[in-house]
Amino acid sequence: MSLKDSTCSHAKFYQQDIVQRIASDNSYGIVLRCWHDAEDVPPQNTLSDPMMRPLQPGEVGVSFFAEGGEREILPESELRLVDRIIQPGDLCKRTIEDVQSGVVTGVHVKGRIEHAISGEPVEGWKTLDELETRVDAEIGDYVAYDDWIGQVIEVYDESLVEVPTGHLVRLPELSSRLNVGEKGTDILPPPAGGMYNLFGFLLGPNRRDSVDTVIDVKHTVYAVAWLAVNQLLNPADAERKTRPPKFWYGNDVEKLTLIRGCQDVEMRVGDRVRLKDSTGAPFTKHGLEGGEVVQVQVYIVVETQTTLDVLWQDGTRETIRSRDLIPYLNPDEYDCWPGDHVVWKAEEHRRPAIVQSVNATDRTATILLPDTGGVELASLLELDLHGTADLAAVIPQSASEGLGVCRGDFVFIHREGTTNGFKKPLVPKIGEVEAWVREAPVVDGHFTGWRKDMAEIGADIAARRGSEGTKEPQIGYPVPGTGTFTWLGEVTDLKLDGSVEVTHPDSTVKFYPLERLTKLYDGIEQLEDDLWGDEASDSYDPHSEDHGKHIWSMDEDGVWRPDLNGGEWEEVEDDEMEPEDNSPMNEDSGGWADESMDLVKESAPLSEVVETQSLLPRAEESEAAEMPESDDGLAWKRFDVLPTAPPDHAFISSPPAQPSKSFLGRLTKEYRVLSNSLPDSIIVRAYEDRTDLLRSLILGPENTPYEDAPFVIDWMLDSNFPHSPPVAHFHSWTNGNGRVNPNLYEEGKVCLSILGTWSGDKDEMWSAARSSLLQAFVSIQGLVLVREPWFCEPAYDKLRGTEEGIVNSRLYNEKAYVLSRAFVRRALEIPLGGLEFELKWLYYQNHRLEKVIRDARLLIEKSKAGVPLSETDRDLAVPRLTAGGIITLERTLKKLQTLLDPHYTSS
């Protein structure tokens, strides 16, 4: 172990960093916003808070701790990093450009404190051992009662406030917003008929500009959401444990036990604390002479120094100052650390494994196979850390967030001899926030629902205190070393043998096998999931410097063409596009009756819409048929209408759309456009028996990680088309190894604003008057299958050109390249219906498979030889591969060579 301590005069700042103005020794603040944060801020003129204007590179938003809480946006150059807040379980790096990362296993903080009201400093640095244990529960804290674990969702406060006359005023209110030592003219609300001081003095109306001071804050009512029951109980006993009440106050409060994690214990700047030994420490007295006087010995943490215990990916451990590290905010999806439980997916095998060490540069890991005890060297690209492998496919998404557990997770312990019921290394999570928690807080400016009930309870307590002088007991807390609460604990370490270190609330530490643990689903996290959902973080935002070039309009010949001015084609009247509910369907054939098909013939027969510019044999013709090339060198029709939709179409089981005359008329125009305007690298197939379905094959563009790889997407048009955008399903052949692109999900979702799967700008959304199927196909090829797909994530585009962006983009490109080589294998082994001949001609007769293998082997050869990058190499999407990338790619190349060899022999 080594201990590093170095000065830091300037740093790139992150949220929660403690900073100080360089020009002022006493101006401390906390960073709330950084330009590289993932956020979407509206224009400044729509906001009243200048703190929320869009940030420029090198700017941060800071809230200062000085009186008044000044908030402003400043250049990083005007600030000095004082301390960096990193929690147990967080990821970190030494520098942005480093490939290796670490996980924080322990945090140690010492702080300087001063009196919360007078500002008089207390000498020396203070550690946690010198502070009283906090016994009040705050919002988000866990509490336990009668074998149940719950979470504080809301509190009702009584704050004691001193006004300039010296009188003390009790202020009851819902939600904690005040702290001891806060001063201001807005502490107390405007005087009302019932605003009395502590001893019955009625406040007068002349309080304008009166600066009040908070002397004490006490939580009198807690609202608790009970999440789950003790898993050590046998099922019969657990069934008898009824859910506790939601409100806790009065003498009942002492029946609760406060359960805190490691990150809740250590002090932070701004915390209010009390000393175990306050002898000689500063204090203040408040109240009028001759009356009751309140003495305050509460202190505020004004500066901290944080030291971290870090476990690096290579297995080494180190103790280091937190400000000598940076948070690792955008980890690679294949990153893992010693002790992590993963699934090894080499070839067709799925085997649980435990990471022993990681070579982040080579992208490899040594793993322990618990079923045999053997140790293997594996590519990180073949390790599933998140539960996306087939092993997890049968597990509902709500039941497990991934594999294993992480440091900082709260877990339940199952009885010895029993398990959590899931196949190792899957770990379920339990805990469901009750419906009442999700009730709207305010209606017509007044509290409603449970908040109204809670406020009434709190007001009644405050009223009785004025006459009865009641005083609530404190919440209890576990006594260290007593062996209590053995059914619950916090994960504090992961061992290389697969066991999990759990620290129980009474500070006892025990080790458990993974299968005896179940994760607690945090209630606040559930509410955040409800608020944001999955779309905001996992969607693609097609903001791109090239996006404006992909606006199309229809010309007088019915052909869509690029329109740099964003013109629209003919107006589409709603009444013309209404689906006709009485369109007859032939029930026997599952297709449309002759009367419906006649509507198409009135515009143009589908078979006549398609131009015969090439001579690709149909599926019913001999496989050995000759494939003469067309004048443009292609051996297929870019667009064709086949007799029947293939049974493997993603939407084949969906009810056919009811085709109105206007639907079919528009579809005929779309077909004509596709016949004339598709690029060589996009193939589209439609079907006579299912006019609502299409299938497209898009070849990966040159000099992208997707070069030469086939991307197959199935499409469905509902009866409201073109007022509704087409629905897409991507055939992902990643074998559970993650997304090949940020916008192409493994479950088939295609995230693109023109498809309505991402909330882009108005002119980026689907428009019946301006959008077309051709535009959707070309957008996927031009805006999704790009040279640097990592930047397709909305939060990452701003990192283009930065060291962080360069490193992460390079790693992502390698993954995309390796995974998309496997797409070639899958397309040839199990070709999708209607594309069999095209794929065989493209990869065998046109020698594209030979090119894929040759290019990949040349890349492997250069990578192994360590050949320096030439200027030409630097312009390549994938100039070199890591050792881990080579391991995975070589497995795929063996399979591709096996597919190619018979064609060499036959030729």
Side-chain angles (χ1 to χ4, degrees):
M1 305 275 277
S2 64
L3 181 62
K4 293 185 176 182
D5 189 1
S6 63
T7 60
C8 182
S9 59
H10 177 70
K12 180 177 180 179
F13 299 117
Y14 295 85
Q15 285 191 21
Q16 303 301 308
D17 280 354
I18 306 302
V19 295
Q20 182 184 38
R21 289 183 191 268
I22 294 177
S24 172
D25 291 339
N26 298 317
S27 187
Y28 292 92
I30 184 169
V31 175
L32 300 182
R33 293 181 59 219
C34 306
W35 76 270
H36 52 78
D37 294 339
E39 61 182 16
D40 186 12
V41 180
Q44 182 179 0
N45 58 10
T46 65
L47 297 164
S48 59
D49 185 356
M51 177 75 163
M52 295 306 294
R53 73 163 171 81
L55 298 179
Q56 299 300 316
E59 289 186 332
V60 290
V62 182
S63 176
F64 289 95
F65 299 118
E67 190 174 310
E70 179 185 0
R71 291 152 44 98
E72 60 180 306
I73 292 175
L74 296 169
E76 287 182 320
S77 58
E78 294 184 10
L79 300 168
R80 180 178 71 88
L81 179 64
V82 177
D83 201 12
R84 175 155 283 157
I85 306 300
I86 303 181
Q87 304 291 355
D90 285 353
L91 307 177
C92 60
K93 284 185 173 184
R94 296 184 190 277
T95 62
I96 292 175
E97 60 269 19
D98 278 355
V99 177
Q100 175 165 259
S101 59
V103 59
V104 176
T105 60
V107 177
H108 316 280
V109 182
K110 62 181 181 179
R112 294 189 184 277
I113 62 176
E114 64 182 32
H115 194 273
I117 297 174
S118 69
E120 185 178 349
V122 178
E123 280 191 34
W125 293 92
K126 302 298 178 184
T127 64
L128 198 64
D129 293 338
E130 299 174 85
L131 305 180
E132 286 188 357
T133 302
R134 175 174 63 86
V135 292
D136 277 350
E138 305 296 340
I139 294 175
D141 280 343
Y142 293 125
V143 291
Y145 171 75
D146 193 26
D147 287 308
W148 277 86
I149 186 72
Q151 195 165 22
V152 176
I153 299 299
E154 186 60 277
V155 296
Y156 192 92
D157 281 352
E158 279 191 37
S159 300
L160 191 59
V161 180
E162 183 182 49
V163 298
T165 62
H167 292 92
L168 302 181
V169 179
R170 185 176 294 110
L171 174 65
E173 61 180 352
L174 186 68
S175 295
S176 178
R177 71 177 180 95
L178 298 176
N179 285 300
V180 174
E182 290 189 14
K183 300 177 182 180
T185 59
D186 59 349
I187 299 293
L188 293 177
M195 182 64 70
Y196 285 84
N197 73 353
L198 183 61
F199 308 110
F201 178 79
L202 181 62
L203 291 175
N206 299 319
R207 287 188 35 78
R208 186 177 302 174
D209 300 329
S210 174
V211 177
D212 306 316
T213 304
V214 180
I215 304 303
D216 192 20
V217 179
K218 173 64 181 176
H219 303 326
T220 59
V221 187
Y222 295 96
V224 179
W226 297 100
L227 302 174
V229 73
N230 181 354
Q231 298 297 295
L232 284 180
L233 300 174
N234 62 56
D237 290 339
E239 187 71 23
R240 287 191 287 269
K241 293 288 184 179
T242 59
R243 193 180 293 269
K246 65 170 72 78
F247 298 132
W248 291 78
Y249 53 93
N251 292 330
D252 287 339
V253 171
E254 65 181 349
K255 300 176 184 177
L256 298 176
T257 303
L258 180 60
I259 307 294
R260 295 186 294 165
C262 295
Q263 65 180 12
D264 301 318
V265 174
E266 289 293 354
M267 68 180 100
R268 298 183 183 181
V269 172
D271 283 354
R272 269 61 174 180
V273 299
R274 297 176 184 271
L275 292 168
K276 288 181 179 177
D277 182 4
S278 58
T279 304
F283 62 90
T284 56
K285 292 184 177 181
H286 306 270
L288 297 175
E289 287 189 24
E292 187 168 347
V293 175
V294 176
Q295 180 170 303
V296 177
Q297 286 190 299
V298 176
Y299 307 91
I300 184 172
V301 180
V302 293
E303 184 183 353
T304 56
Q305 284 188 6
T306 303
T307 310
L308 306 174
D309 298 329
V310 179
L311 171 63
W312 296 105
Q313 286 179 299
D314 63 6
T316 60
R317 293 178 182 266
E318 184 177 16
T319 298
I320 186 171
R321 280 285 301 275
S322 65
R323 67 182 189 182
D324 292 331
L325 300 170
I326 63 170
Y328 186 16
L329 300 180
N330 302 308
D332 182 77
E333 62 184 302
Y334 296 103
D335 273 334
C336 50
W337 296 267
D340 282 345
H341 289 260
V342 298
V343 173
W344 186 32
K345 299 175 295 183
E347 302 292 342
E348 279 72 36
H349 301 296
R350 299 287 186 274
R351 301 176 67 182
I354 300 142
V355 177
Q356 305 296 290
S357 66
V358 176
N359 185 323
T361 302
D362 289 348
R363 239 177 172 183
T364 60
T366 55
I367 56 174
L368 171 67
L369 302 174
D371 53 351
T372 64
V375 176
E376 298 280 351
L377 178 68
S379 164
L380 292 186
L381 301 184
E382 297 174 345
L383 298 183
D384 178 15
L385 182 67
H386 308 286
T388 56
D390 294 346
L391 182 65
V394 297
I395 306 301
Q397 186 65 29
S398 60
S400 175
E401 290 182 323
L403 306 179
V405 292
C406 299
R407 295 166 181 85
D409 284 346
F410 270 85
V411 293
F412 295 97
I413 316 299
H414 292 268
R415 298 193 311 277
E416 195 165 358
T418 65
T419 71
N420 56 31
F422 281 63
K423 186 174 181 179
K424 192 176 178 181
L426 288 171
V427 178
K429 59 179 180 181
I430 60 173
E432 180 61 34
V433 167
E434 301 166 84
W436 62 265
V437 178
R438 296 181 168 90
E439 293 177 2
V442 177
V443 174
D444 295 331
H446 300 283
F447 288 122
T448 186
W450 63 268
R451 290 178 179 83
K452 179 182 177 183
D453 297 338
M454 186 178 184
E456 290 174 351
I457 294 171
D460 180 66
I461 292 173
R464 286 189 290 108
R465 189 190 316 281
S467 58
E468 303 172 12
T470 59
K471 186 176 182 180
E472 292 80 12
Q474 294 178 329
I475 288 181
Y477 55 93
V479 179
T482 57
T484 55
F485 293 101
T486 57
W487 52 276
L488 180 75
E490 181 183 11
V491 175
T492 47
D493 205 2
L494 304 175
K495 299 302 179 182
L496 297 183
D497 62 359
S499 62
V500 179
E501 179 186 283
V502 176
T503 299
H504 293 284
D506 70 339
S507 300
T508 58
V509 178
K510 294 186 178 181
F511 299 88
Y512 299 95
L514 189 67
E515 59 269 22
R516 283 187 61 193
L517 305 179
T518 287
K519 290 181 282 190
L520 173 62
Y521 190 9
D522 181 87
I524 302 297
E525 181 183 340
Q526 292 181 54
L527 297 177
E528 291 174 348
D529 289 345
D530 291 345
L531 178 64
W532 298 109
D534 293 329
E535 299 299 323
S537 59
D538 291 336
S539 296
Y540 164 63
D541 182 3
H543 293 143
S544 166
E545 61 184 7
D546 295 327
H547 182 76
K549 301 176 184 177
H550 294 275
I551 297 175
W552 296 69
S553 58
M554 180 179 281
D555 65 17
E556 58 185 6
D557 296 323
V559 178
W560 270 274
R561 301 189 186 281
D563 182 354
L564 298 181
N565 297 319
E568 298 186 356
W569 71 287
E570 65 219 51
E571 290 293 328
V572 181
E573 300 294 338
D574 288 345
D575 56 355
E576 293 179 2
M577 297 306 300
E578 282 294 318
E580 296 178 4
D581 296 333
N582 60 351
S583 299
M585 186 175 81
N586 186 329
E587 295 181 1
D588 294 334
S589 67
W592 300 108
D594 291 342
E595 180 182 351
S596 243
M597 290 308 298
D598 286 341
L599 298 176
V600 180
K601 295 176 183 178
E602 291 174 10
S603 299
L606 293 179
S607 58
E608 294 178 10
V609 171
V610 185
E611 296 181 2
T612 57
Q613 60 185 10
S614 56
L615 303 172
L616 179 67
R618 290 291 185 91
E620 63 267 20
E621 299 181 31
S622 168
E623 184 173 333
E626 187 68 23
M627 299 183 184
E629 294 185 358
S630 61
D631 292 340
D632 56 12
L634 294 179
W636 60 68
K637 296 178 181 178
R638 298 181 182 92
F639 177 73
D640 201 1
V641 181
L642 305 182
T644 58
D648 58 7
H649 195 286
F651 301 108
I652 193 67
S653 60
S654 63
Q658 298 286 333
S660 65
K661 180 177 180 179
S662 54
F663 174 93
L664 293 171
R666 172 62 177 263
L667 195 61
T668 301
K669 293 180 180 180
E670 296 275 1
Y671 285 1
R672 184 176 294 113
V673 172
L674 294 174
S675 297
N676 296 330
S677 305
L678 276 173
D680 297 350
S681 51
I682 299 179
I683 305 171
V684 177
R685 296 293 176 256
Y687 313 101
E688 292 180 0
D689 67 334
R690 288 296 298 269
T691 57
D692 59 328
L693 303 184
L694 299 99
R695 168 167 285 172
S696 64
L697 186 152
I698 303 174
L699 292 178
E702 185 179 351
N703 197 23
T704 70
Y706 311 109
E707 182 171 346
D708 298 321
F711 292 80
V712 178
I713 300 175
D714 286 344
W715 303 84
M716 180 178 66
L717 312 176
D718 66 21
S719 58
N720 197 40
F721 178 82
H723 286 298
S724 298
V727 181
H729 177 90
F730 168 61
H731 287 272
S732 178
W733 296 323
T734 59
N735 199 29
N737 283 291
R739 294 186 213 167
V740 72
N741 182 280
N743 313 96
L744 302 176
Y745 288 46
E746 288 190 282
E747 66 271 21
K749 178 180 176 182
V750 178
C751 202
L752 200 62
S753 60
I754 193 174
L755 303 181
T757 48
W758 171 257
S759 55
D761 294 338
K762 183 178 180 181
D763 61 351
E764 296 172 340
M765 306 300 289
W766 178 270
S767 164
R770 198 177 61 228
S771 304
S772 69
L773 295 176
L774 175 64
Q775 182 183 358
F777 301 150
V778 173
S779 293
I780 290 172
Q781 186 179 60
L783 300 178
V784 174
L785 302 178
V786 294
R787 179 181 168 185
E788 296 180 296
W790 188 79
F791 295 109
C792 287
E793 289 283 7
Y796 298 160
D797 187 62
K798 66 174 68 174
L799 299 178
R800 197 181 293 272
T802 66
E803 288 292 341
E804 181 179 5
I806 292 170
V807 170
N808 283 283
S809 180
R810 176 176 61 80
L811 294 176
Y812 197 98
N813 275 19
E814 177 185 69
K815 175 198 76 165
Y817 177 79
V818 172
L819 291 182
S820 60
R821 301 313 92 186
F823 276 38
V824 179
R825 171 191 170 189
R826 170 60 174 76
L828 295 176
E829 289 181 340
I830 314 175
L832 291 178
L835 297 173
E836 298 93 340
F837 289 98
E838 290 87 341
L839 288 167
K840 289 181 180 179
W841 185 91
L842 175 68
Y843 286 102
Y844 293 131
Q845 294 181 246
N846 196 38
H847 308 293
R848 185 77 60 121
L849 177 56
E850 186 177 346
K851 175 181 181 296
V852 168
I853 296 174
R854 182 177 63 251
D855 290 350
R857 285 181 172 161
L858 179 60
L859 180 58
I860 289 174
E861 181 181 328
K862 286 183 177 180
S863 301
K864 286 183 174 180
V867 178
L869 293 178
S870 65
E871 288 302 317
T872 301
D873 289 337
R874 295 182 192 280
D875 292 331
L876 297 177
V878 186
R880 295 291 185 271
L881 297 173
T882 64
I886 292 172
I887 290 173
T888 304
L889 181 57
E890 285 183 331
R891 294 188 200 277
T892 299
L893 290 181
K894 288 180 182 179
K895 298 292 184 180
L896 292 177
Q897 189 66 52
T898 301
L899 292 170
L900 182 63
D901 286 343
H903 292 270
Y904 270 131
T905 303
S906 62
S907 60

